[in-house]
Amino acid sequence: MKAVVQRVTQASVTVGGEQISAIGRGICVLLGISVEDSQKELEHMVRKILNLRVFEDESGKHWSKNVMDKQYEVLCVSQFTLQCVLKGNKPDFHLAMPTEQAESFYNSFLEQLRKSYRPELIRDGKFGAYMQVHIQNDGPVTIELESPAPGAANSDPKQLSKLEKQQQRKEKTRAKGPSESSKERSAPRKEDRSASSGAEGDVSSEREP
């Protein structure tokens, strides 16, 4: 699942020349649903959108408050074209969830959004309709969000960082192993003076980043 979140001063949706939805300050969310998306990806995206800190606090500190903190509005618009892949210069949308499934899934997304926040502050467009979406981007501020791929292991950045550090330690241990063992074997041999002279200057220059 992909989402483009824009901080706005106002946004609206028009269908057939008639405005069907509008918000003031808040966020406008363009949502692209993948054929592989499930309830897990849905819940992940709802959490990310509502907790995304794109607003300033009372003291003017940027990136401090989310839409719920500020009690602002949310406008959601389904946009399957976010699941586009290019074949040459032609857009292909085979990764997008089919219309029949996507409408039900999108309605579940809106329901979860309303359960997690104030339902009267959630607005949406008209699924499957030809819409004109008017967005007054504030900043501009535009954030792209993407849910972890279904079945992806260790998607948590902290866990990835931990695993990377473990791998680095293993690589260092393997690199040092032969030289340390050779020093241990050569230590009792006092007559081999040339071996000790080479080892004494072997000091690692690696530093933590």
Side-chain angles (χ1 to χ4, degrees):
M1 186 180 295
K2 296 180 180 180
V4 173
V5 181
Q6 299 182 67
R7 187 179 71 185
V8 301
T9 52
Q10 62 181 27
S12 64
V13 177
T14 300
V15 176
E18 179 185 355
Q19 186 180 97
I20 64 168
S21 192
I23 64 169
R25 290 210 69 182
I27 56 176
C28 180
V29 180
L30 306 177
L31 189 74
I33 302 170
S34 164
V35 68
E36 295 184 334
D37 285 333
S38 66
Q39 184 66 24
K40 181 180 178 181
E41 284 74 47
L42 185 154
E43 293 174 357
H44 171 90
M45 189 59 75
V46 167
R47 286 195 305 271
K48 280 293 185 182
I49 289 170
L50 292 179
N51 288 285
L52 186 62
R53 296 186 295 178
V54 292
F55 300 100
E56 60 185 31
D57 63 15
E58 294 73 16
S59 65
K61 184 180 178 182
H62 296 292
W63 320 114
S64 299
K65 299 292 184 180
N66 59 49
V67 70
M68 296 187 294
D69 295 329
K70 304 294 284 187
Q71 294 294 293
Y72 287 159
E73 295 176 286
V74 180
L75 174 62
C76 289
V77 178
S78 176
Q79 187 172 346
F80 73 91
T81 57
L82 287 176
Q83 293 294 341
C84 163
V85 292
L86 290 178
K87 291 187 175 180
N89 293 319
K90 182 181 179 181
D92 179 89
F93 305 108
H94 73 276
L95 294 180
M97 185 176 286
T99 304
E100 298 76 16
Q101 296 173 253
E103 184 171 10
S104 174
F105 194 92
Y106 178 67
N107 288 333
S108 297
F109 173 84
L110 291 174
E111 183 181 350
Q112 183 68 30
L113 205 61
R114 290 179 173 124
K115 284 181 179 179
S116 304
Y117 188 31
R118 294 172 55 187
E120 69 274 15
L121 296 181
I122 307 296
R123 303 281 189 271
D124 71 297
K126 186 176 181 180
F127 186 91
Y130 189 88
M131 296 175 277
Q132 285 76 49
V133 183
H134 305 272
I135 300 171
Q136 188 167 301
N137 196 315
D138 180 32
V141 173
T142 301
I143 307 293
E144 295 180 341
L145 299 176
E146 187 169 358
S147 60
N154 301 317
S155 59
D156 184 356
K158 292 183 179 178
Q159 184 66 15
L160 283 173
S161 178
K162 183 177 179 181
L163 290 173
E164 287 172 358
K165 289 180 180 179
Q166 289 176 348
Q167 184 63 26
Q168 288 173 359
R169 285 197 293 268
K170 287 180 181 179
E171 289 175 356
K172 288 181 180 179
T173 301
R174 285 197 296 268
K176 291 179 180 179
S179 60
E180 289 177 351
S181 59
S182 63
K183 284 191 290 182
E184 290 175 0
R185 288 196 301 269
S186 62
R189 301 178 182 178
K190 296 182 181 180
E191 68 278 4
D192 188 0
R193 296 177 183 177
S194 59
S196 61
S197 61
E200 288 172 358
D202 186 15
V203 179
S204 174
S205 59
E206 292 181 2
R207 298 181 180 178
E208 291 294 328

